[in-house]
PDB file of all heavy atoms in Angstrom:
ATOM      1  N   VAL X   1      13.058  14.613  -1.139  1.00 65.00           N
ATOM      2  CA  VAL X   1      13.103  13.458  -0.272  1.00 65.00           C
ATOM      3  C   VAL X   1      13.563  13.900   1.113  1.00 65.00           C
ATOM      4  O   VAL X   1      14.546  14.553   1.232  1.00 65.00           O
ATOM      5  CB  VAL X   1      13.998  12.388  -0.876  1.00 65.00           C
ATOM      6  CG1 VAL X   1      14.134  11.204   0.081  1.00 65.00           C
ATOM      7  CG2 VAL X   1      13.556  11.952  -2.243  1.00 65.00           C
ATOM      8  N   GLU X   2      12.748  13.509   2.109  1.00 78.00           N
ATOM      9  CA  GLU X   2      13.090  13.845   3.465  1.00 78.00           C
ATOM     10  C   GLU X   2      12.813  12.644   4.363  1.00 78.00           C
ATOM     11  O   GLU X   2      11.958  11.836   4.056  1.00 78.00           O
ATOM     12  CB  GLU X   2      12.279  15.020   3.934  1.00 78.00           C
ATOM     13  CG  GLU X   2      12.538  16.330   3.183  1.00 78.00           C
ATOM     14  CD  GLU X   2      11.634  17.431   3.674  1.00 78.00           C
ATOM     15  OE1 GLU X   2      11.335  17.465   4.892  1.00 78.00           O
ATOM     16  OE2 GLU X   2      11.184  18.222   2.849  1.00 78.00           O
ATOM     17  N   PRO X   3      13.524  12.570   5.481  1.00 86.00           N
ATOM     18  CA  PRO X   3      13.223  11.503   6.426  1.00 86.00           C
ATOM     19  C   PRO X   3      11.795  11.591   6.944  1.00 86.00           C
ATOM     20  O   PRO X   3      11.228  12.666   7.077  1.00 86.00           O
ATOM     21  CB  PRO X   3      14.250  11.677   7.570  1.00 86.00           C
ATOM     22  CG  PRO X   3      15.257  12.620   7.007  1.00 86.00           C
ATOM     23  CD  PRO X   3      14.605  13.398   5.936  1.00 86.00           C
ATOM     24  N   HIS X   4      11.230  10.438   7.316  1.00 85.00           N
ATOM     25  CA  HIS X   4       9.904  10.335   7.944  1.00 85.00           C
ATOM     26  C   HIS X   4       8.774  10.794   7.056  1.00 85.00           C
ATOM     27  O   HIS X   4       7.715  11.151   7.549  1.00 85.00           O
ATOM     28  CB  HIS X   4       9.901  11.074   9.283  1.00 85.00           C
ATOM     29  CG  HIS X   4      11.025  10.729  10.211  1.00 85.00           C
ATOM     30  ND1 HIS X   4      11.143   9.454  10.783  1.00 85.00           N
ATOM     31  CD2 HIS X   4      12.123  11.408  10.552  1.00 85.00           C
ATOM     32  CE1 HIS X   4      12.246   9.422  11.494  1.00 85.00           C
ATOM     33  NE2 HIS X   4      12.863  10.587  11.389  1.00 85.00           N
ATOM     34  N   LYS X   5       8.955  10.854   5.745  1.00 80.00           N
ATOM     35  CA  LYS X   5       7.893  11.173   4.812  1.00 80.00           C
ATOM     36  C   LYS X   5       7.330   9.930   4.240  1.00 80.00           C
ATOM     37  O   LYS X   5       8.046   8.945   4.051  1.00 80.00           O
ATOM     38  CB  LYS X   5       8.413  12.071   3.693  1.00 80.00           C
ATOM     39  CG  LYS X   5       8.937  13.468   4.156  1.00 80.00           C
ATOM     40  CD  LYS X   5       7.772  14.331   4.528  1.00 80.00           C
ATOM     41  CE  LYS X   5       8.274  15.703   4.903  1.00 80.00           C
ATOM     42  NZ  LYS X   5       7.240  16.608   5.129  1.00 80.00           N
ATOM     43  N   ARG X   6       6.026   9.937   3.916  1.00 74.00           N
ATOM     44  CA  ARG X   6       5.390   8.794   3.304  1.00 74.00           C
ATOM     45  C   ARG X   6       5.378   8.973   1.787  1.00 74.00           C
ATOM     46  O   ARG X   6       5.175  10.087   1.311  1.00 74.00           O
ATOM     47  CB  ARG X   6       3.948   8.650   3.802  1.00 74.00           C
ATOM     48  CG  ARG X   6       3.919   8.355   5.280  1.00 74.00           C
ATOM     49  CD  ARG X   6       2.530   8.266   5.789  1.00 74.00           C
ATOM     50  NE  ARG X   6       1.929   7.059   5.229  1.00 74.00           N
ATOM     51  CZ  ARG X   6       0.682   6.682   5.472  1.00 74.00           C
ATOM     52  NH1 ARG X   6      -0.098   7.413   6.263  1.00 74.00           N
ATOM     53  NH2 ARG X   6       0.187   5.606   4.942  1.00 74.00           N
ATOM     54  N   PRO X   7       5.514   7.896   1.012  1.00 67.00           N
ATOM     55  CA  PRO X   7       5.429   8.012  -0.429  1.00 67.00           C
ATOM     56  C   PRO X   7       4.058   8.460  -0.866  1.00 67.00           C
ATOM     57  O   PRO X   7       3.037   8.144  -0.197  1.00 67.00           O
ATOM     58  CB  PRO X   7       5.762   6.627  -0.929  1.00 67.00           C
ATOM     59  CG  PRO X   7       5.541   5.747   0.206  1.00 67.00           C
ATOM     60  CD  PRO X   7       5.731   6.554   1.456  1.00 67.00           C
ATOM     61  N   ARG X   8       3.922   9.141  -1.990  1.00 66.00           N
ATOM     62  CA  ARG X   8       2.672   9.567  -2.500  1.00 66.00           C
ATOM     63  C   ARG X   8       1.876   8.472  -3.160  1.00 66.00           C
ATOM     64  O   ARG X   8       0.671   8.572  -3.359  1.00 66.00           O
ATOM     65  CB  ARG X   8       2.859  10.727  -3.458  1.00 66.00           C
ATOM     66  CG  ARG X   8       3.335  11.991  -2.760  1.00 66.00           C
ATOM     67  CD  ARG X   8       3.431  13.118  -3.735  1.00 66.00           C
ATOM     68  NE  ARG X   8       2.175  13.278  -4.416  1.00 66.00           N
ATOM     69  CZ  ARG X   8       1.565  14.401  -4.650  1.00 66.00           C
ATOM     70  NH1 ARG X   8       2.107  15.476  -4.229  1.00 66.00           N
ATOM     71  NH2 ARG X   8       0.440  14.409  -5.289  1.00 66.00           N
ATOM     72  N   SER X   9       2.564   7.420  -3.584  1.00 65.00           N
ATOM     73  CA  SER X   9       1.864   6.325  -4.250  1.00 65.00           C
ATOM     74  C   SER X   9       2.545   4.997  -3.891  1.00 65.00           C
ATOM     75  O   SER X   9       3.676   5.011  -3.397  1.00 65.00           O
ATOM     76  CB  SER X   9       1.823   6.514  -5.747  1.00 65.00           C
ATOM     77  OG  SER X   9       3.103   6.368  -6.287  1.00 65.00           O
ATOM     78  N   SER X  10       1.863   3.921  -4.147  1.00 66.00           N
ATOM     79  CA  SER X  10       2.445   2.609  -3.890  1.00 66.00           C
ATOM     80  C   SER X  10       3.294   2.215  -5.109  1.00 66.00           C
ATOM     81  O   SER X  10       3.004   2.608  -6.243  1.00 66.00           O
ATOM     82  CB  SER X  10       1.340   1.579  -3.718  1.00 66.00           C
ATOM     83  OG  SER X  10       0.525   1.941  -2.613  1.00 66.00           O
ATOM     84  N   MET X  11       4.261   1.427  -4.852  1.00 71.00           N
ATOM     85  CA  MET X  11       5.051   0.843  -5.941  1.00 71.00           C
ATOM     86  C   MET X  11       5.181  -0.675  -5.640  1.00 71.00           C
ATOM     87  O   MET X  11       5.442  -1.023  -4.538  1.00 71.00           O
ATOM     88  CB  MET X  11       6.458   1.444  -6.010  1.00 71.00           C
ATOM     89  CG  MET X  11       6.450   2.884  -6.376  1.00 71.00           C
ATOM     90  SD  MET X  11       8.102   3.624  -6.404  1.00 71.00           S
ATOM     91  CE  MET X  11       8.902   2.644  -7.619  1.00 71.00           C
ATOM     92  N   SER X  12       4.954  -1.448  -6.650  1.00 79.00           N
ATOM     93  CA  SER X  12       5.033  -2.874  -6.409  1.00 79.00           C
ATOM     94  C   SER X  12       5.606  -3.632  -7.619  1.00 79.00           C
ATOM     95  O   SER X  12       4.956  -4.484  -8.166  1.00 79.00           O
ATOM     96  CB  SER X  12       3.646  -3.454  -6.023  1.00 79.00           C
ATOM     97  OG  SER X  12       2.736  -3.212  -7.064  1.00 79.00           O
ATOM     98  N   PRO X  13       6.825  -3.298  -8.028  1.00 85.00           N
ATOM     99  CA  PRO X  13       7.424  -4.139  -9.071  1.00 85.00           C
ATOM    100  C   PRO X  13       7.654  -5.562  -8.548  1.00 85.00           C
ATOM    101  O   PRO X  13       7.989  -5.720  -7.369  1.00 85.00           O
ATOM    102  CB  PRO X  13       8.746  -3.408  -9.358  1.00 85.00           C
ATOM    103  CG  PRO X  13       9.047  -2.620  -8.152  1.00 85.00           C
ATOM    104  CD  PRO X  13       7.721  -2.269  -7.521  1.00 85.00           C
ATOM    105  N   VAL X  14       7.374  -6.538  -9.371  1.00 92.00           N
ATOM    106  CA  VAL X  14       7.455  -7.923  -8.930  1.00 92.00           C
ATOM    107  C   VAL X  14       8.231  -8.727  -9.975  1.00 92.00           C
ATOM    108  O   VAL X  14       7.964  -8.567 -11.177  1.00 92.00           O
ATOM    109  CB  VAL X  14       6.012  -8.525  -8.796  1.00 92.00           C
ATOM    110  CG1 VAL X  14       6.117  -9.988  -8.451  1.00 92.00           C
ATOM    111  CG2 VAL X  14       5.233  -7.779  -7.747  1.00 92.00           C
ATOM    112  N   ILE X  15       9.137  -9.542  -9.506  1.00 95.00           N
ATOM    113  CA  ILE X  15       9.875 -10.479 -10.357  1.00 95.00           C
ATOM    114  C   ILE X  15       9.526 -11.870  -9.839  1.00 95.00           C
ATOM    115  O   ILE X  15       9.704 -12.185  -8.673  1.00 95.00           O
ATOM    116  CB  ILE X  15      11.402 -10.258 -10.320  1.00 95.00           C
ATOM    117  CG1 ILE X  15      11.747  -8.865 -10.727  1.00 95.00           C
ATOM    118  CG2 ILE X  15      12.076 -11.310 -11.245  1.00 95.00           C
ATOM    119  CD1 ILE X  15      13.221  -8.506 -10.565  1.00 95.00           C
ATOM    120  N   VAL X  16       9.004 -12.736 -10.741  1.00 96.00           N
ATOM    121  CA  VAL X  16       8.673 -14.075 -10.379  1.00 96.00           C
ATOM    122  C   VAL X  16       9.752 -15.007 -10.967  1.00 96.00           C
ATOM    123  O   VAL X  16      10.076 -14.921 -12.179  1.00 96.00           O
ATOM    124  CB  VAL X  16       7.284 -14.497 -10.957  1.00 96.00           C
ATOM    125  CG1 VAL X  16       6.954 -15.943 -10.626  1.00 96.00           C
ATOM    126  CG2 VAL X  16       6.207 -13.565 -10.417  1.00 96.00           C
ATOM    127  N   PHE X  17      10.292 -15.892 -10.147  1.00 97.00           N
ATOM    128  CA  PHE X  17      11.310 -16.807 -10.633  1.00 97.00           C
ATOM    129  C   PHE X  17      10.748 -18.239 -10.743  1.00 97.00           C
ATOM    130  O   PHE X  17       9.870 -18.618  -9.980  1.00 97.00           O
ATOM    131  CB  PHE X  17      12.482 -16.819  -9.629  1.00 97.00           C
ATOM    132  CG  PHE X  17      13.209 -15.520  -9.574  1.00 97.00           C
ATOM    133  CD1 PHE X  17      12.865 -14.543  -8.694  1.00 97.00           C
ATOM    134  CD2 PHE X  17      14.299 -15.273 -10.438  1.00 97.00           C
ATOM    135  CE1 PHE X  17      13.508 -13.315  -8.663  1.00 97.00           C
ATOM    136  CE2 PHE X  17      14.959 -14.072 -10.414  1.00 97.00           C
ATOM    137  CZ  PHE X  17      14.601 -13.063  -9.496  1.00 97.00           C
ATOM    138  N   ASP X  18      11.295 -19.017 -11.666  1.00 95.00           N
ATOM    139  CA  ASP X  18      10.857 -20.401 -11.822  1.00 95.00           C
ATOM    140  C   ASP X  18      11.683 -21.291 -10.863  1.00 95.00           C
ATOM    141  O   ASP X  18      12.473 -20.795 -10.052  1.00 95.00           O
ATOM    142  CB  ASP X  18      10.988 -20.876 -13.267  1.00 95.00           C
ATOM    143  CG  ASP X  18      12.417 -20.922 -13.788  1.00 95.00           C
ATOM    144  OD1 ASP X  18      13.390 -20.811 -12.983  1.00 95.00           O
ATOM    145  OD2 ASP X  18      12.612 -21.052 -15.003  1.00 95.00           O
ATOM    146  N   LYS X  19      11.470 -22.581 -10.960  1.00 96.00           N
ATOM    147  CA  LYS X  19      12.169 -23.503 -10.002  1.00 96.00           C
ATOM    148  C   LYS X  19      13.641 -23.536 -10.194  1.00 96.00           C
ATOM    149  O   LYS X  19      14.360 -23.933  -9.290  1.00 96.00           O
ATOM    150  CB  LYS X  19      11.573 -24.904 -10.183  1.00 96.00           C
ATOM    151  CG  LYS X  19      10.145 -25.025  -9.705  1.00 96.00           C
ATOM    152  CD  LYS X  19       9.593 -26.395  -9.928  1.00 96.00           C
ATOM    153  CE  LYS X  19       8.139 -26.440  -9.486  1.00 96.00           C
ATOM    154  NZ  LYS X  19       7.584 -27.747  -9.607  1.00 96.00           N
ATOM    155  N   LYS X  20      14.151 -23.104 -11.345  1.00 97.00           N
ATOM    156  CA  LYS X  20      15.604 -23.047 -11.606  1.00 97.00           C
ATOM    157  C   LYS X  20      16.164 -21.692 -11.222  1.00 97.00           C
ATOM    158  O   LYS X  20      17.307 -21.389 -11.580  1.00 97.00           O
ATOM    159  CB  LYS X  20      15.867 -23.365 -13.062  1.00 97.00           C
ATOM    160  CG  LYS X  20      15.495 -24.744 -13.457  1.00 97.00           C
ATOM    161  CD  LYS X  20      15.779 -24.993 -14.915  1.00 97.00           C
ATOM    162  CE  LYS X  20      15.363 -26.380 -15.351  1.00 97.00           C
ATOM    163  NZ  LYS X  20      15.553 -26.597 -16.804  1.00 97.00           N
ATOM    164  N   ASN X  21      15.365 -20.869 -10.601  1.00 97.00           N
ATOM    165  CA  ASN X  21      15.755 -19.523 -10.174  1.00 97.00           C
ATOM    166  C   ASN X  21      16.007 -18.575 -11.362  1.00 97.00           C
ATOM    167  O   ASN X  21      16.782 -17.651 -11.246  1.00 97.00           O
ATOM    168  CB  ASN X  21      16.958 -19.592  -9.235  1.00 97.00           C
ATOM    169  CG  ASN X  21      16.821 -18.614  -8.100  1.00 97.00           C
ATOM    170  OD1 ASN X  21      15.721 -18.110  -7.796  1.00 97.00           O
ATOM    171  ND2 ASN X  21      17.903 -18.354  -7.419  1.00 97.00           N
ATOM    172  N   GLU X  22      15.342 -18.865 -12.464  1.00 97.00           N
ATOM    173  CA  GLU X  22      15.382 -17.997 -13.654  1.00 97.00           C
ATOM    174  C   GLU X  22      14.184 -17.094 -13.654  1.00 97.00           C
ATOM    175  O   GLU X  22      13.084 -17.506 -13.306  1.00 97.00           O
ATOM    176  CB  GLU X  22      15.425 -18.856 -14.931  1.00 97.00           C
ATOM    177  CG  GLU X  22      16.639 -19.780 -15.066  1.00 97.00           C
ATOM    178  CD  GLU X  22      17.887 -19.020 -15.334  1.00 97.00           C
ATOM    179  OE1 GLU X  22      17.840 -17.980 -16.038  1.00 97.00           O
ATOM    180  OE2 GLU X  22      18.939 -19.428 -14.832  1.00 97.00           O
ATOM    181  N   PRO X  23      14.360 -15.855 -14.088  1.00 96.00           N
ATOM    182  CA  PRO X  23      13.188 -14.962 -14.173  1.00 96.00           C
ATOM    183  C   PRO X  23      12.109 -15.518 -15.099  1.00 96.00           C
ATOM    184  O   PRO X  23      12.408 -15.910 -16.210  1.00 96.00           O
ATOM    185  CB  PRO X  23      13.749 -13.658 -14.713  1.00 96.00           C
ATOM    186  CG  PRO X  23      15.198 -13.706 -14.459  1.00 96.00           C
ATOM    187  CD  PRO X  23      15.572 -15.174 -14.505  1.00 96.00           C
ATOM    188  N   LEU X  24      10.899 -15.542 -14.614  1.00 94.00           N
ATOM    189  CA  LEU X  24       9.768 -16.081 -15.386  1.00 94.00           C
ATOM    190  C   LEU X  24       8.850 -14.937 -15.836  1.00 94.00           C
ATOM    191  O   LEU X  24       8.316 -14.951 -16.943  1.00 94.00           O
ATOM    192  CB  LEU X  24       8.999 -17.087 -14.516  1.00 94.00           C
ATOM    193  CG  LEU X  24       7.734 -17.709 -15.094  1.00 94.00           C
ATOM    194  CD1 LEU X  24       8.105 -18.587 -16.267  1.00 94.00           C
ATOM    195  CD2 LEU X  24       7.006 -18.488 -14.027  1.00 94.00           C
ATOM    196  N   LEU X  25       8.671 -13.940 -14.981  1.00 94.00           N
ATOM    197  CA  LEU X  25       7.728 -12.875 -15.234  1.00 94.00           C
ATOM    198  C   LEU X  25       8.167 -11.663 -14.439  1.00 94.00           C
ATOM    199  O   LEU X  25       8.543 -11.744 -13.274  1.00 94.00           O
ATOM    200  CB  LEU X  25       6.333 -13.333 -14.735  1.00 94.00           C
ATOM    201  CG  LEU X  25       5.129 -12.460 -14.859  1.00 94.00           C
ATOM    202  CD1 LEU X  25       4.844 -12.158 -16.342  1.00 94.00           C
ATOM    203  CD2 LEU X  25       3.935 -13.049 -14.191  1.00 94.00           C
ATOM    204  N   VAL X  26       8.096 -10.496 -15.073  1.00 94.00           N
ATOM    205  CA  VAL X  26       8.385  -9.235 -14.445  1.00 94.00           C
ATOM    206  C   VAL X  26       7.183  -8.333 -14.683  1.00 94.00           C
ATOM    207  O   VAL X  26       6.816  -8.130 -15.884  1.00 94.00           O
ATOM    208  CB  VAL X  26       9.664  -8.561 -14.985  1.00 94.00           C
ATOM    209  CG1 VAL X  26       9.935  -7.251 -14.338  1.00 94.00           C
ATOM    210  CG2 VAL X  26      10.860  -9.496 -14.813  1.00 94.00           C
ATOM    211  N   VAL X  27       6.536  -7.845 -13.642  1.00 93.00           N
ATOM    212  CA  VAL X  27       5.366  -7.008 -13.820  1.00 93.00           C
ATOM    213  C   VAL X  27       5.414  -5.786 -12.921  1.00 93.00           C
ATOM    214  O   VAL X  27       6.115  -5.777 -11.929  1.00 93.00           O
ATOM    215  CB  VAL X  27       4.045  -7.783 -13.549  1.00 93.00           C
ATOM    216  CG1 VAL X  27       3.839  -8.845 -14.533  1.00 93.00           C
ATOM    217  CG2 VAL X  27       4.004  -8.302 -12.127  1.00 93.00           C
ATOM    218  N   GLY X  28       4.700  -4.776 -13.325  1.00 89.00           N
ATOM    219  CA  GLY X  28       4.539  -3.547 -12.574  1.00 89.00           C
ATOM    220  C   GLY X  28       3.443  -2.767 -13.231  1.00 89.00           C
ATOM    221  O   GLY X  28       2.858  -3.243 -14.255  1.00 89.00           O
ATOM    222  N   SER X  29       3.072  -1.601 -12.710  1.00 85.00           N
ATOM    223  CA  SER X  29       1.988  -0.853 -13.272  1.00 85.00           C
ATOM    224  C   SER X  29       2.031   0.627 -12.889  1.00 85.00           C
ATOM    225  O   SER X  29       2.435   0.907 -11.794  1.00 85.00           O
ATOM    226  CB  SER X  29       0.648  -1.437 -12.790  1.00 85.00           C
ATOM    227  OG  SER X  29      -0.433  -0.653 -13.262  1.00 85.00           O
ATOM    228  N   PRO X  30       1.672   1.522 -13.805  1.00 78.00           N
ATOM    229  CA  PRO X  30       1.462   2.890 -13.384  1.00 78.00           C
ATOM    230  C   PRO X  30       0.044   2.986 -12.775  1.00 78.00           C
ATOM    231  O   PRO X  30      -0.753   2.068 -12.934  1.00 78.00           O
ATOM    232  CB  PRO X  30       1.480   3.663 -14.687  1.00 78.00           C
ATOM    233  CG  PRO X  30       1.012   2.711 -15.703  1.00 78.00           C
ATOM    234  CD  PRO X  30       1.502   1.322 -15.224  1.00 78.00           C
ATOM    235  N   GLY X  31      -0.285   4.022 -12.060  1.00 75.00           N
ATOM    236  CA  GLY X  31      -1.649   4.167 -11.647  1.00 75.00           C
ATOM    237  C   GLY X  31      -1.900   4.516 -10.206  1.00 75.00           C
ATOM    238  O   GLY X  31      -2.992   4.331  -9.696  1.00 75.00           O
ATOM    239  N   GLY X  32      -0.897   5.052  -9.497  1.00 77.00           N
ATOM    240  CA  GLY X  32      -1.153   5.480  -8.098  1.00 77.00           C
ATOM    241  C   GLY X  32      -1.677   4.378  -7.225  1.00 77.00           C
ATOM    242  O   GLY X  32      -1.082   3.310  -7.132  1.00 77.00           O
ATOM    243  N   SER X  33      -2.803   4.619  -6.609  1.00 76.00           N
ATOM    244  CA  SER X  33      -3.339   3.655  -5.634  1.00 76.00           C
ATOM    245  C   SER X  33      -3.899   2.417  -6.329  1.00 76.00           C
ATOM    246  O   SER X  33      -4.267   1.470  -5.670  1.00 76.00           O
ATOM    247  CB  SER X  33      -4.405   4.324  -4.767  1.00 76.00           C
ATOM    248  OG  SER X  33      -5.510   4.696  -5.562  1.00 76.00           O
ATOM    249  N   SER X  34      -4.003   2.421  -7.644  1.00 83.00           N
ATOM    250  CA  SER X  34      -4.495   1.237  -8.390  1.00 83.00           C
ATOM    251  C   SER X  34      -3.391   0.263  -8.776  1.00 83.00           C
ATOM    252  O   SER X  34      -3.653  -0.769  -9.300  1.00 83.00           O
ATOM    253  CB  SER X  34      -5.203   1.722  -9.670  1.00 83.00           C
ATOM    254  OG  SER X  34      -6.285   2.564  -9.348  1.00 83.00           O
ATOM    255  N   ILE X  35      -2.145   0.609  -8.482  1.00 86.00           N
ATOM    256  CA  ILE X  35      -0.990  -0.208  -8.897  1.00 86.00           C
ATOM    257  C   ILE X  35      -1.118  -1.621  -8.339  1.00 86.00           C
ATOM    258  O   ILE X  35      -1.039  -2.629  -9.088  1.00 86.00           O
ATOM    259  CB  ILE X  35       0.323   0.401  -8.452  1.00 86.00           C
ATOM    260  CG1 ILE X  35       0.616   1.685  -9.217  1.00 86.00           C
ATOM    261  CG2 ILE X  35       1.486  -0.554  -8.656  1.00 86.00           C
ATOM    262  CD1 ILE X  35       1.783   2.488  -8.667  1.00 86.00           C
ATOM    263  N   ILE X  36      -1.301  -1.767  -7.068  1.00 86.00           N
ATOM    264  CA  ILE X  36      -1.290  -3.087  -6.438  1.00 86.00           C
ATOM    265  C   ILE X  36      -2.394  -3.999  -6.987  1.00 86.00           C
ATOM    266  O   ILE X  36      -2.100  -5.107  -7.379  1.00 86.00           O
ATOM    267  CB  ILE X  36      -1.336  -3.002  -4.907  1.00 86.00           C
ATOM    268  CG1 ILE X  36      -0.016  -2.339  -4.425  1.00 86.00           C
ATOM    269  CG2 ILE X  36      -1.524  -4.318  -4.257  1.00 86.00           C
ATOM    270  CD1 ILE X  36       0.007  -1.937  -2.996  1.00 86.00           C
ATOM    271  N   PRO X  37      -3.653  -3.504  -7.112  1.00 88.00           N
ATOM    272  CA  PRO X  37      -4.682  -4.417  -7.701  1.00 88.00           C
ATOM    273  C   PRO X  37      -4.364  -4.821  -9.157  1.00 88.00           C
ATOM    274  O   PRO X  37      -4.624  -5.961  -9.520  1.00 88.00           O
ATOM    275  CB  PRO X  37      -5.953  -3.577  -7.628  1.00 88.00           C
ATOM    276  CG  PRO X  37      -5.713  -2.613  -6.523  1.00 88.00           C
ATOM    277  CD  PRO X  37      -4.279  -2.324  -6.561  1.00 88.00           C
ATOM    278  N   PHE X  38      -3.795  -3.932  -9.941  1.00 90.00           N
ATOM    279  CA  PHE X  38      -3.455  -4.267 -11.335  1.00 90.00           C
ATOM    280  C   PHE X  38      -2.342  -5.339 -11.361  1.00 90.00           C
ATOM    281  O   PHE X  38      -2.414  -6.283 -12.144  1.00 90.00           O
ATOM    282  CB  PHE X  38      -3.001  -3.042 -12.118  1.00 90.00           C
ATOM    283  CG  PHE X  38      -4.137  -2.286 -12.758  1.00 90.00           C
ATOM    284  CD1 PHE X  38      -4.734  -1.234 -12.123  1.00 90.00           C
ATOM    285  CD2 PHE X  38      -4.649  -2.687 -13.978  1.00 90.00           C
ATOM    286  CE1 PHE X  38      -5.765  -0.534 -12.697  1.00 90.00           C
ATOM    287  CE2 PHE X  38      -5.704  -2.012 -14.569  1.00 90.00           C
ATOM    288  CZ  PHE X  38      -6.270  -0.905 -13.922  1.00 90.00           C
ATOM    289  N   VAL X  39      -1.344  -5.218 -10.510  1.00 91.00           N
ATOM    290  CA  VAL X  39      -0.262  -6.182 -10.461  1.00 91.00           C
ATOM    291  C   VAL X  39      -0.782  -7.534  -9.981  1.00 91.00           C
ATOM    292  O   VAL X  39      -0.454  -8.584 -10.577  1.00 91.00           O
ATOM    293  CB  VAL X  39       0.904  -5.683  -9.594  1.00 91.00           C
ATOM    294  CG1 VAL X  39       1.941  -6.767  -9.353  1.00 91.00           C
ATOM    295  CG2 VAL X  39       1.590  -4.476 -10.257  1.00 91.00           C
ATOM    296  N   ILE X  40      -1.584  -7.544  -8.973  1.00 92.00           N
ATOM    297  CA  ILE X  40      -2.131  -8.791  -8.425  1.00 92.00           C
ATOM    298  C   ILE X  40      -2.986  -9.469  -9.501  1.00 92.00           C
ATOM    299  O   ILE X  40      -2.905 -10.691  -9.702  1.00 92.00           O
ATOM    300  CB  ILE X  40      -2.931  -8.545  -7.154  1.00 92.00           C
ATOM    301  CG1 ILE X  40      -1.973  -8.192  -6.034  1.00 92.00           C
ATOM    302  CG2 ILE X  40      -3.799  -9.767  -6.796  1.00 92.00           C
ATOM    303  CD1 ILE X  40      -2.627  -7.727  -4.793  1.00 92.00           C
ATOM    304  N   LYS X  41      -3.816  -8.699 -10.224  1.00 93.00           N
ATOM    305  CA  LYS X  41      -4.624  -9.285 -11.275  1.00 93.00           C
ATOM    306  C   LYS X  41      -3.766  -9.974 -12.336  1.00 93.00           C
ATOM    307  O   LYS X  41      -4.071 -11.095 -12.731  1.00 93.00           O
ATOM    308  CB  LYS X  41      -5.487  -8.194 -11.937  1.00 93.00           C
ATOM    309  CG  LYS X  41      -6.337  -8.724 -13.127  1.00 93.00           C
ATOM    310  CD  LYS X  41      -6.873  -7.586 -13.979  1.00 93.00           C
ATOM    311  CE  LYS X  41      -6.089  -7.415 -15.217  1.00 93.00           C
ATOM    312  NZ  LYS X  41      -6.642  -6.582 -16.238  1.00 93.00           N
ATOM    313  N   THR X  42      -2.697  -9.356 -12.714  1.00 94.00           N
ATOM    314  CA  THR X  42      -1.815  -9.919 -13.725  1.00 94.00           C
ATOM    315  C   THR X  42      -1.180 -11.198 -13.193  1.00 94.00           C
ATOM    316  O   THR X  42      -1.100 -12.205 -13.907  1.00 94.00           O
ATOM    317  CB  THR X  42      -0.746  -8.905 -14.157  1.00 94.00           C
ATOM    318  OG1 THR X  42      -1.419  -7.721 -14.665  1.00 94.00           O
ATOM    319  CG2 THR X  42       0.159  -9.466 -15.239  1.00 94.00           C
ATOM    320  N   LEU X  43      -0.702 -11.177 -11.982  1.00 95.00           N
ATOM    321  CA  LEU X  43      -0.090 -12.351 -11.390  1.00 95.00           C
ATOM    322  C   LEU X  43      -1.055 -13.548 -11.338  1.00 95.00           C
ATOM    323  O   LEU X  43      -0.711 -14.656 -11.742  1.00 95.00           O
ATOM    324  CB  LEU X  43       0.493 -12.072 -10.023  1.00 95.00           C
ATOM    325  CG  LEU X  43       1.672 -11.136  -9.959  1.00 95.00           C
ATOM    326  CD1 LEU X  43       1.973 -10.752  -8.514  1.00 95.00           C
ATOM    327  CD2 LEU X  43       2.884 -11.725 -10.629  1.00 95.00           C
ATOM    328  N   ILE X  44      -2.257 -13.308 -10.876  1.00 96.00           N
ATOM    329  CA  ILE X  44      -3.248 -14.351 -10.751  1.00 96.00           C
ATOM    330  C   ILE X  44      -3.621 -14.881 -12.155  1.00 96.00           C
ATOM    331  O   ILE X  44      -3.712 -16.102 -12.384  1.00 96.00           O
ATOM    332  CB  ILE X  44      -4.498 -13.894 -10.008  1.00 96.00           C
ATOM    333  CG1 ILE X  44      -4.149 -13.676  -8.539  1.00 96.00           C
ATOM    334  CG2 ILE X  44      -5.677 -14.855 -10.149  1.00 96.00           C
ATOM    335  CD1 ILE X  44      -5.238 -12.947  -7.724  1.00 96.00           C
TER     336      ILE X  44
END
C-alpha cells in the first residue's frame, strides 16, 4: 500500500437499512470489474 496508488479492483459492499434503521440486506461480490454490476443486479 502506497500513497497515490489506485486500487486494482472495485469494491462495493452495501448495507441497506429499513425505515427503522435496522439492517435489511447486506450484499457484495467477488469478481474484479464485474463487482458493481453484480451488486446492482442483486439490489434491483
Side-chain angles (χ1 to χ4, degrees):
V1 176
E2 296 178 36
H4 309 292
K5 296 286 184 174
R6 295 179 68 179
R8 291 183 53 135
S9 69
S10 300
M11 295 178 60
S12 58
V14 176
I15 303 172
V16 178
F17 294 90
D18 64 14
K19 292 179 182 181
K20 296 179 182 177
N21 222 16
E22 297 290 325
L24 177 68
L25 181 64
V26 178
V27 295
S29 175
S33 64
S34 300
I35 293 171
I36 293 171
F38 273 95
V39 170
I40 290 171
K41 177 193 101 166
T42 302
L43 292 171
I44 290 170

